[in-house]
Amino acid sequence: MHESEFKKEFAARLAVLRNNAGVSARDMSLSLGQNPGYINNIENLKTLPSMTMFFKICDFLRITPADFFDTFKKKGKNSKVGELSQILEFLDSKQVDALYTLVSELNK
């Protein structure tokens, strides 16, 4: 994964988790002791947090670092997301690339 792709995924995941927590980017930034635009800058791909700040972000969101990156978290035996994540384990890289392209297009 290229750095720009990682930044996009990181920023998108942060935005989802922050929105799920019901907090604005400004309020989260200030709660973390940062300038008002700190989280906004991460979500707009201008910067990435330091490791120390990443752990503080996880603490603020009340999740573990593993939870932050676990976008395919299983939600029970019958969950479609859980089933898909299990199926993905058996695909080769060409199949994963094709599926990624399809899902990216659907997500536009």
Side-chain angles (χ1 to χ4, degrees), residues 5-16:
E5 291 174 29
F6 174 77
K7 269 185 162 179
K8 286 179 187 175
E9 288 189 27
F10 188 94
R13 181 67 172 155
L14 177 58
V16 166

Side-chain angles (χ1 to χ4, degrees), residues 8-9 12 16 99-108:
K8 286 179 187 175
E9 288 189 27
V16 166
L99 187 56
Y100 179 82
T101 300
L102 174 65
V103 171
S104 294
E105 288 298 315
L106 291 172
N107 197 35
K108 287 184 178 178

Side-chain angles (χ1 to χ4, degrees), residues 86-101:
Q86 290 174 352
I87 292 168
L88 289 172
E89 297 291 325
F90 298 101
L91 300 180
D92 63 36
S93 62
K94 189 174 181 179
Q95 292 170 318
V96 171
D97 289 344
L99 187 56
Y100 179 82
T101 300

Side-chain angles (χ1 to χ4, degrees), residues 52-94:
T52 300
M53 189 53 63
F54 171 68
F55 290 124
K56 288 181 180 181
I57 288 169
C58 290
D59 285 344
F60 178 85
L61 295 170
R62 296 185 177 158
I63 60 170
T64 67
D67 289 335
F68 185 95
F69 292 108
D70 191 3
T71 58
F72 294 104
K73 196 166 193 168
K74 293 171 183 64
K75 298 178 182 177
K77 261 186 177 177
N78 298 321
S79 167
K80 295 290 184 191
V81 173
E83 290 174 33
L84 280 172
S85 67
Q86 290 174 352
I87 292 168
L88 289 172
E89 297 291 325
F90 298 101
L91 300 180
D92 63 36
S93 62
K94 189 174 181 179

Side-chain angles (χ1 to χ4, degrees), residues 23 26-34 60:
V23 65
R26 182 180 192 284
D27 287 344
M28 184 173 174
S29 297
L30 295 173
S31 294
L32 292 169
Q34 300 297 312
F60 178 85

